[in-house]
Amino acid sequence: MRALVCIAVLGLMASPAVSADFAAKGLKIGHPWTRPAALGGTGAGYMTVTNSGKAGDTLVGIETAAARSAGVHRSAMNGQVMSMRPLPALAIAPGQTVALAPGGDHIMMVGLTRALSQGQKIPVTLVFQKAGRVQIELSVETTRPASAAASPNHH
Ligand SMILES: [Cu+2]
């Protein structure tokens, strides 16, 4: 199942910066990625989570050997100041796609145990209430085609 998904993705992608999608138990993790970051620093992970199952599921934890601690964060604007706070649980309703994206919800990795360099794949485990542990890899990318094309004012 996973091999088939990867082949389909590879066939569709023209960019050399290939990042695989991951699928497990009705959930699809689309284009997990992160930015280059220094050893000891922090990193943010982004992806889409699609629930194609019949029941809702909830993302309740993040595990990775690449950081001392990791979890889901929610970003919000307080006046002119962007702040973020831990999100203990992120619900994904049936049929819904939840986007973890810059400026919004993201995976926060604090105390990186390794430098994140472009082209690397960083193993991360997403822990779901029902689907359980789903292994993915964040691909380390410097630029994103979508954000490169978009105006910085279009938030
Ligand atoms: Cu954060």
Side-chain angles (χ1 to χ4, degrees):
M1 173 66 177
R2 183 155 146 183
L4 286 174
V5 170
C6 291
I7 289 162
V9 169
L10 287 171
L12 288 173
M13 293 191 77
S15 161
V18 172
S19 77
D21 289 359
F22 297 82
K25 297 168 194 158
L27 296 172
K28 196 190 105 183
I29 314 302
H31 194 172
W33 68 283
T34 186
R35 292 194 180 93
L39 171 70
T42 60
Y46 309 110
M47 68 197 67
T48 57
V49 183
T50 300
N51 184 352
S52 50
K54 295 265 190 289
D57 207 340
T58 307
L59 178 59
V60 293
I62 309 293
E63 296 170 359
T64 179
R68 279 204 322 271
S69 69
V72 181
H73 268 189
R74 169 155 292 175
S75 295
M77 291 299 290
N78 289 329
Q80 298 296 314
V81 181
M82 174 85 83
S83 67
M84 55 189 184
R85 62 179 172 84
L87 201 62
L90 179 64
I92 303 115
Q96 189 187 20
T97 295
V98 170
L100 304 180
D105 296 346
H106 54 278
I107 286 171
M108 197 80 207
M109 297 174 286
V110 177
L112 293 172
T113 56
R114 55 182 284 186
L116 310 184
S117 307
Q118 184 174 12
Q120 289 179 336
K121 309 275 192 203
I122 311 301
V124 169
T125 301
L126 309 179
V127 184
F128 291 92
Q129 214 162 53
K130 295 205 180 90
R133 303 158 69 82
V134 177
Q135 316 267 359
I136 64 162
E137 289 176 334
L138 302 173
S139 66
V140 183
E141 300 174 11
T142 48
T143 55
R144 295 274 292 120
S147 55
S151 155
N153 294 324
H154 287 185
H155 275 104

